[in-house]
Amino acid sequence: MGTCDCAVVQERVIVPEAVTVKEQIVVPDTVTVKARVSVPAIVQKPKFIPDPSWGNLDECPDNDIWFVVTDDKPTTFEDYIFVQYSSFNVKSYKIDWGDGSEIYTAIAPTTTNITNHKYLKGTGRIDTNGREFWIMKVTYELHSIDYPHYIYPNGYVYVNYPQKIFNIAPYKYIVFGKNLRKFEFSTFDIATFPLEAIKFLSDTIDMIPSFPYNKTRLKYILHAGDTLKLTKLIGYRFRNGVCQDLSDIQIEGGEFGEYLWGCENQTRGKVDLSKMKVSSDNRWSHCFYGTGQMVEEVIMPQEPFTGTYVRNCFYNCISLRKLVLPKSMPNVEDALGFLQNCKQLYDFELPSDFGSKGNGLILTMQYVPKTMRLDLKNTKIRCLVWSSEREHSSIGLIGLTFSSESPFDYQISNAHLYFQFAPLSYDAIIEIFNQLPNFKGESVRVININGCAGTSELTEEDIKIATDKNWQVIGV
């Protein structure tokens, strides 16, 4: 594979001083907890502003896609800038390369069609940042718009032109005309390129084009109106974008599947998925995993969730404050990492039937700060972890009920029930001891109550309630 000299750009980022917010958190249901919480201020970054020398790109006609091509590394060769474009099954289209040349495909092929173009240095204009640029305009004929757009702006395969290179596209900014709405088959997946923003002039599209995971600098998805409505959603397409702000995107429909996740700086503000359907596979694996640096409120689809798998959903969403779950989630069995490390999540409710019809629930919710009872009286527990941090031991789980048929046959942190530093009172611990199933004649089960509020009041007779049922009690 050929090599390409890449410029290393060093950026100096000036970050405002952190803001410390002191909050008094009042938790209802007879328990009042006062805590001083240091919450980093979320600084709203400005929207992407196109370079004024590029002109008014919002004038992009309804059937066009306009690309700003720049000479940014690594797309620049010694004396030219290399571009690929591929589109098929859309009847016909024309490309005005912006350097005085153009190409027209009267009948687009039904297989991949790659168009290569070289921008010679000195044929473009210079923008306010000193970059040479061209406005590349792709026009689709009207009868092509009703078809799904198979668009590959960076080409589609390895090519030998003029040398074997991994497809690199020097696009900085892309604007989609109002009639361009069907992007299910449009992908940027094969390229590494300096794209910073895309803009949709339509107020409704089916879905966001696919982007390669962690290979672009895409920071902004823009639109012309107040909101952008998506009629479909494929989870991995949100994972792959590196977007600073999606809070003004409405999800009007489509299926919600697994792997709705991304990099730490992806989703900011509120994400409303309430009008979506649950995907047929009924798996919510890793939803919002790793996006927690920004997202503050999430409303999940409100139809009943009948799946068994919600592993690592909302894991490490450290800025999440409010979560609205479906009203019914009866079959959940694997909830490893569910809500784990959501250290500001005070506003949420688990559905009353959470895991009640499953074969056994594994649930880990370390460091969730909401002070609450967990009523799972109809749910069979295999393993449950709800611990607090030592410095926040007055916040968290204050009571638990579960099914007497709970098998407790799975361990995490060498325990079947793990409540370290939880604010469980003496009465709450005794309530749990009394519910523990009897496992005499079986392998020993383990409950860890180290550092819990009521541990110091336990007597030998109290502990014997658990040990007589073949439970080992840790932390007394």
mmCIF file with all atom_site columns, all heavy atoms in Angstrom, residues 159-172:
data_model
loop_
_atom_site.group_PDB
_atom_site.id
_atom_site.type_symbol
_atom_site.label_atom_id
_atom_site.label_alt_id
_atom_site.label_comp_id
_atom_site.label_asym_id
_atom_site.label_entity_id
_atom_site.label_seq_id
_atom_site.pdbx_PDB_ins_code
_atom_site.Cartn_x
_atom_site.Cartn_y
_atom_site.Cartn_z
_atom_site.occupancy
_atom_site.B_iso_or_equiv
_atom_site.pdbx_formal_charge
_atom_site.auth_seq_id
_atom_site.auth_comp_id
_atom_site.auth_asym_id
_atom_site.auth_atom_id
_atom_site.pdbx_PDB_model_num
ATOM 1   N N   . VAL A 1 159 ? -8.443  1.004  -4.833  1.00 0.00 ? 159 VAL A N   1
ATOM 2   C CA  . VAL A 1 159 ? -8.212  1.290  -6.240  1.00 0.00 ? 159 VAL A CA  1
ATOM 3   C C   . VAL A 1 159 ? -6.716  1.506  -6.480  1.00 0.00 ? 159 VAL A C   1
ATOM 4   O O   . VAL A 1 159 ? -5.964  1.772  -5.543  1.00 0.00 ? 159 VAL A O   1
ATOM 5   C CB  . VAL A 1 159 ? -8.978  2.552  -6.707  1.00 0.00 ? 159 VAL A CB  1
ATOM 6   C CG1 . VAL A 1 159 ? -10.461 2.340  -6.615  1.00 0.00 ? 159 VAL A CG1 1
ATOM 7   C CG2 . VAL A 1 159 ? -8.564  3.773  -5.906  1.00 0.00 ? 159 VAL A CG2 1
ATOM 8   N N   . ASN A 1 160 ? -6.306  1.379  -7.713  1.00 0.00 ? 160 ASN A N   1
ATOM 9   C CA  . ASN A 1 160 ? -4.937  1.688  -8.085  1.00 0.00 ? 160 ASN A CA  1
ATOM 10  C C   . ASN A 1 160 ? -4.952  2.916  -8.984  1.00 0.00 ? 160 ASN A C   1
ATOM 11  O O   . ASN A 1 160 ? -4.877  2.826  -10.199 1.00 0.00 ? 160 ASN A O   1
ATOM 12  C CB  . ASN A 1 160 ? -4.300  0.506  -8.824  1.00 0.00 ? 160 ASN A CB  1
ATOM 13  C CG  . ASN A 1 160 ? -4.021  -0.647 -7.890  1.00 0.00 ? 160 ASN A CG  1
ATOM 14  O OD1 . ASN A 1 160 ? -3.082  -0.595 -7.109  1.00 0.00 ? 160 ASN A OD1 1
ATOM 15  N ND2 . ASN A 1 160 ? -4.836  -1.678 -7.956  1.00 0.00 ? 160 ASN A ND2 1
ATOM 16  N N   . TYR A 1 161 ? -5.140  4.071  -8.394  1.00 0.00 ? 161 TYR A N   1
ATOM 17  C CA  . TYR A 1 161 ? -5.199  5.305  -9.187  1.00 0.00 ? 161 TYR A CA  1
ATOM 18  C C   . TYR A 1 161 ? -4.754  6.465  -8.314  1.00 0.00 ? 161 TYR A C   1
ATOM 19  O O   . TYR A 1 161 ? -5.500  6.887  -7.439  1.00 0.00 ? 161 TYR A O   1
ATOM 20  C CB  . TYR A 1 161 ? -6.623  5.556  -9.681  1.00 0.00 ? 161 TYR A CB  1
ATOM 21  C CG  . TYR A 1 161 ? -6.727  6.820  -10.516 1.00 0.00 ? 161 TYR A CG  1
ATOM 22  C CD1 . TYR A 1 161 ? -6.423  6.789  -11.875 1.00 0.00 ? 161 TYR A CD1 1
ATOM 23  C CD2 . TYR A 1 161 ? -7.097  8.026  -9.945  1.00 0.00 ? 161 TYR A CD2 1
ATOM 24  C CE1 . TYR A 1 161 ? -6.507  7.933  -12.634 1.00 0.00 ? 161 TYR A CE1 1
ATOM 25  C CE2 . TYR A 1 161 ? -7.178  9.173  -10.692 1.00 0.00 ? 161 TYR A CE2 1
ATOM 26  C CZ  . TYR A 1 161 ? -6.886  9.125  -12.046 1.00 0.00 ? 161 TYR A CZ  1
ATOM 27  O OH  . TYR A 1 161 ? -6.964  10.251 -12.811 1.00 0.00 ? 161 TYR A OH  1
ATOM 28  N N   . PRO A 1 162 ? -3.607  6.967  -8.474  1.00 0.00 ? 162 PRO A N   1
ATOM 29  C CA  . PRO A 1 162 ? -2.521  6.469  -9.329  1.00 0.00 ? 162 PRO A CA  1
ATOM 30  C C   . PRO A 1 162 ? -1.688  5.417  -8.625  1.00 0.00 ? 162 PRO A C   1
ATOM 31  O O   . PRO A 1 162 ? -0.754  4.877  -9.188  1.00 0.00 ? 162 PRO A O   1
ATOM 32  C CB  . PRO A 1 162 ? -1.700  7.720  -9.578  1.00 0.00 ? 162 PRO A CB  1
ATOM 33  C CG  . PRO A 1 162 ? -1.847  8.469  -8.280  1.00 0.00 ? 162 PRO A CG  1
ATOM 34  C CD  . PRO A 1 162 ? -3.248  8.203  -7.804  1.00 0.00 ? 162 PRO A CD  1
ATOM 35  N N   . GLN A 1 163 ? -1.999  5.167  -7.384  1.00 0.00 ? 163 GLN A N   1
ATOM 36  C CA  . GLN A 1 163 ? -1.305  4.149  -6.620  1.00 0.00 ? 163 GLN A CA  1
ATOM 37  C C   . GLN A 1 163 ? -2.339  3.513  -5.710  1.00 0.00 ? 163 GLN A C   1
ATOM 38  O O   . GLN A 1 163 ? -3.439  4.023  -5.542  1.00 0.00 ? 163 GLN A O   1
ATOM 39  C CB  . GLN A 1 163 ? -0.181  4.791  -5.787  1.00 0.00 ? 163 GLN A CB  1
ATOM 40  C CG  . GLN A 1 163 ? -0.683  5.909  -4.857  1.00 0.00 ? 163 GLN A CG  1
ATOM 41  C CD  . GLN A 1 163 ? 0.442   6.627  -4.175  1.00 0.00 ? 163 GLN A CD  1
ATOM 42  O OE1 . GLN A 1 163 ? 1.489   6.053  -3.945  1.00 0.00 ? 163 GLN A OE1 1
ATOM 43  N NE2 . GLN A 1 163 ? 0.242   7.895  -3.831  1.00 0.00 ? 163 GLN A NE2 1
ATOM 44  N N   . LYS A 1 164 ? -2.012  2.368  -5.164  1.00 0.00 ? 164 LYS A N   1
ATOM 45  C CA  . LYS A 1 164 ? -2.969  1.708  -4.292  1.00 0.00 ? 164 LYS A CA  1
ATOM 46  C C   . LYS A 1 164 ? -3.074  2.475  -2.980  1.00 0.00 ? 164 LYS A C   1
ATOM 47  O O   . LYS A 1 164 ? -2.090  2.601  -2.249  1.00 0.00 ? 164 LYS A O   1
ATOM 48  C CB  . LYS A 1 164 ? -2.555  0.266  -4.017  1.00 0.00 ? 164 LYS A CB  1
ATOM 49  C CG  . LYS A 1 164 ? -3.631  -0.553 -3.321  1.00 0.00 ? 164 LYS A CG  1
ATOM 50  C CD  . LYS A 1 164 ? -3.229  -2.006 -3.212  1.00 0.00 ? 164 LYS A CD  1
ATOM 51  C CE  . LYS A 1 164 ? -4.347  -2.808 -2.557  1.00 0.00 ? 164 LYS A CE  1
ATOM 52  N NZ  . LYS A 1 164 ? -3.991  -4.235 -2.417  1.00 0.00 ? 164 LYS A NZ  1
ATOM 53  N N   . ILE A 1 165 ? -4.226  3.013  -2.706  1.00 0.00 ? 165 ILE A N   1
ATOM 54  C CA  . ILE A 1 165 ? -4.424  3.804  -1.495  1.00 0.00 ? 165 ILE A CA  1
ATOM 55  C C   . ILE A 1 165 ? -5.715  3.370  -0.820  1.00 0.00 ? 165 ILE A C   1
ATOM 56  O O   . ILE A 1 165 ? -6.623  2.832  -1.458  1.00 0.00 ? 165 ILE A O   1
ATOM 57  C CB  . ILE A 1 165 ? -4.499  5.321  -1.782  1.00 0.00 ? 165 ILE A CB  1
ATOM 58  C CG1 . ILE A 1 165 ? -5.696  5.634  -2.673  1.00 0.00 ? 165 ILE A CG1 1
ATOM 59  C CG2 . ILE A 1 165 ? -3.212  5.813  -2.378  1.00 0.00 ? 165 ILE A CG2 1
ATOM 60  C CD1 . ILE A 1 165 ? -5.948  7.115  -2.829  1.00 0.00 ? 165 ILE A CD1 1
ATOM 61  N N   . PHE A 1 166 ? -5.792  3.557  0.472   1.00 0.00 ? 166 PHE A N   1
ATOM 62  C CA  . PHE A 1 166 ? -7.059  3.382  1.176   1.00 0.00 ? 166 PHE A CA  1
ATOM 63  C C   . PHE A 1 166 ? -7.869  4.631  0.917   1.00 0.00 ? 166 PHE A C   1
ATOM 64  O O   . PHE A 1 166 ? -7.364  5.739  1.013   1.00 0.00 ? 166 PHE A O   1
ATOM 65  C CB  . PHE A 1 166 ? -6.813  3.200  2.671   1.00 0.00 ? 166 PHE A CB  1
ATOM 66  C CG  . PHE A 1 166 ? -7.997  2.704  3.426   1.00 0.00 ? 166 PHE A CG  1
ATOM 67  C CD1 . PHE A 1 166 ? -8.600  1.505  3.091   1.00 0.00 ? 166 PHE A CD1 1
ATOM 68  C CD2 . PHE A 1 166 ? -8.520  3.427  4.473   1.00 0.00 ? 166 PHE A CD2 1
ATOM 69  C CE1 . PHE A 1 166 ? -9.690  1.024  3.799   1.00 0.00 ? 166 PHE A CE1 1
ATOM 70  C CE2 . PHE A 1 166 ? -9.606  2.965  5.193   1.00 0.00 ? 166 PHE A CE2 1
ATOM 71  C CZ  . PHE A 1 166 ? -10.187 1.756  4.845   1.00 0.00 ? 166 PHE A CZ  1
ATOM 72  N N   . ASN A 1 167 ? -9.116  4.465  0.560   1.00 0.00 ? 167 ASN A N   1
ATOM 73  C CA  . ASN A 1 167 ? -9.922  5.580  0.067   1.00 0.00 ? 167 ASN A CA  1
ATOM 74  C C   . ASN A 1 167 ? -9.900  6.764  1.030   1.00 0.00 ? 167 ASN A C   1
ATOM 75  O O   . ASN A 1 167 ? -10.297 6.657  2.180   1.00 0.00 ? 167 ASN A O   1
ATOM 76  C CB  . ASN A 1 167 ? -11.364 5.132  -0.140  1.00 0.00 ? 167 ASN A CB  1
ATOM 77  C CG  . ASN A 1 167 ? -11.469 4.107  -1.237  1.00 0.00 ? 167 ASN A CG  1
ATOM 78  O OD1 . ASN A 1 167 ? -10.512 3.886  -1.973  1.00 0.00 ? 167 ASN A OD1 1
ATOM 79  N ND2 . ASN A 1 167 ? -12.609 3.461  -1.346  1.00 0.00 ? 167 ASN A ND2 1
ATOM 80  N N   . ILE A 1 168 ? -9.451  7.870  0.535   1.00 0.00 ? 168 ILE A N   1
ATOM 81  C CA  . ILE A 1 168 ? -9.344  9.093  1.323   1.00 0.00 ? 168 ILE A CA  1
ATOM 82  C C   . ILE A 1 168 ? -10.137 10.177 0.614   1.00 0.00 ? 168 ILE A C   1
ATOM 83  O O   . ILE A 1 168 ? -10.012 10.347 -0.591  1.00 0.00 ? 168 ILE A O   1
ATOM 84  C CB  . ILE A 1 168 ? -7.876  9.543  1.464   1.00 0.00 ? 168 ILE A CB  1
ATOM 85  C CG1 . ILE A 1 168 ? -7.047  8.417  2.090   1.00 0.00 ? 168 ILE A CG1 1
ATOM 86  C CG2 . ILE A 1 168 ? -7.775  10.794 2.313   1.00 0.00 ? 168 ILE A CG2 1
ATOM 87  C CD1 . ILE A 1 168 ? -5.562  8.683  2.039   1.00 0.00 ? 168 ILE A CD1 1
ATOM 88  N N   . ALA A 1 169 ? -10.973 10.859 1.331   1.00 0.00 ? 169 ALA A N   1
ATOM 89  C CA  . ALA A 1 169 ? -11.804 11.881 0.708   1.00 0.00 ? 169 ALA A CA  1
ATOM 90  C C   . ALA A 1 169 ? -11.585 13.213 1.418   1.00 0.00 ? 169 ALA A C   1
ATOM 91  O O   . ALA A 1 169 ? -11.775 13.313 2.622   1.00 0.00 ? 169 ALA A O   1
ATOM 92  C CB  . ALA A 1 169 ? -13.275 11.486 0.792   1.00 0.00 ? 169 ALA A CB  1
ATOM 93  N N   . PRO A 1 170 ? -11.184 14.249 0.685   1.00 0.00 ? 170 PRO A N   1
ATOM 94  C CA  . PRO A 1 170 ? -10.856 15.532 1.311   1.00 0.00 ? 170 PRO A CA  1
ATOM 95  C C   . PRO A 1 170 ? -12.067 16.431 1.507   1.00 0.00 ? 170 PRO A C   1
ATOM 96  O O   . PRO A 1 170 ? -11.999 17.624 1.238   1.00 0.00 ? 170 PRO A O   1
ATOM 97  C CB  . PRO A 1 170 ? -9.858  16.136 0.322   1.00 0.00 ? 170 PRO A CB  1
ATOM 98  C CG  . PRO A 1 170 ? -10.339 15.639 -1.005  1.00 0.00 ? 170 PRO A CG  1
ATOM 99  C CD  . PRO A 1 170 ? -10.875 14.260 -0.751  1.00 0.00 ? 170 PRO A CD  1
ATOM 100 N N   . TYR A 1 171 ? -13.189 15.877 1.940   1.00 0.00 ? 171 TYR A N   1
ATOM 101 C CA  . TYR A 1 171 ? -14.385 16.695 2.135   1.00 0.00 ? 171 TYR A CA  1
ATOM 102 C C   . TYR A 1 171 ? -14.364 17.298 3.528   1.00 0.00 ? 171 TYR A C   1
ATOM 103 O O   . TYR A 1 171 ? -14.144 16.617 4.526   1.00 0.00 ? 171 TYR A O   1
ATOM 104 C CB  . TYR A 1 171 ? -15.648 15.846 1.972   1.00 0.00 ? 171 TYR A CB  1
ATOM 105 C CG  . TYR A 1 171 ? -15.725 15.103 0.665   1.00 0.00 ? 171 TYR A CG  1
ATOM 106 C CD1 . TYR A 1 171 ? -15.909 13.727 0.642   1.00 0.00 ? 171 TYR A CD1 1
ATOM 107 C CD2 . TYR A 1 171 ? -15.613 15.770 -0.548  1.00 0.00 ? 171 TYR A CD2 1
ATOM 108 C CE1 . TYR A 1 171 ? -15.981 13.035 -0.549  1.00 0.00 ? 171 TYR A CE1 1
ATOM 109 C CE2 . TYR A 1 171 ? -15.686 15.093 -1.752  1.00 0.00 ? 171 TYR A CE2 1
ATOM 110 C CZ  . TYR A 1 171 ? -15.860 13.716 -1.746  1.00 0.00 ? 171 TYR A CZ  1
ATOM 111 O OH  . TYR A 1 171 ? -15.917 13.037 -2.929  1.00 0.00 ? 171 TYR A OH  1
ATOM 112 N N   . LYS A 1 172 ? -14.640 18.581 3.600   1.00 0.00 ? 172 LYS A N   1
ATOM 113 C CA  . LYS A 1 172 ? -14.672 19.290 4.878   1.00 0.00 ? 172 LYS A CA  1
ATOM 114 C C   . LYS A 1 172 ? -16.107 19.480 5.365   1.00 0.00 ? 172 LYS A C   1
ATOM 115 O O   . LYS A 1 172 ? -16.387 19.413 6.561   1.00 0.00 ? 172 LYS A O   1
ATOM 116 C CB  . LYS A 1 172 ? -13.981 20.652 4.723   1.00 0.00 ? 172 LYS A CB  1
ATOM 117 C CG  . LYS A 1 172 ? -13.975 21.505 5.977   1.00 0.00 ? 172 LYS A CG  1
ATOM 118 C CD  . LYS A 1 172 ? -13.141 20.905 7.080   1.00 0.00 ? 172 LYS A CD  1
ATOM 119 C CE  . LYS A 1 172 ? -11.686 20.873 6.722   1.00 0.00 ? 172 LYS A CE  1
ATOM 120 N NZ  . LYS A 1 172 ? -10.834 20.398 7.835   1.00 0.00 ? 172 LYS A NZ  1
#
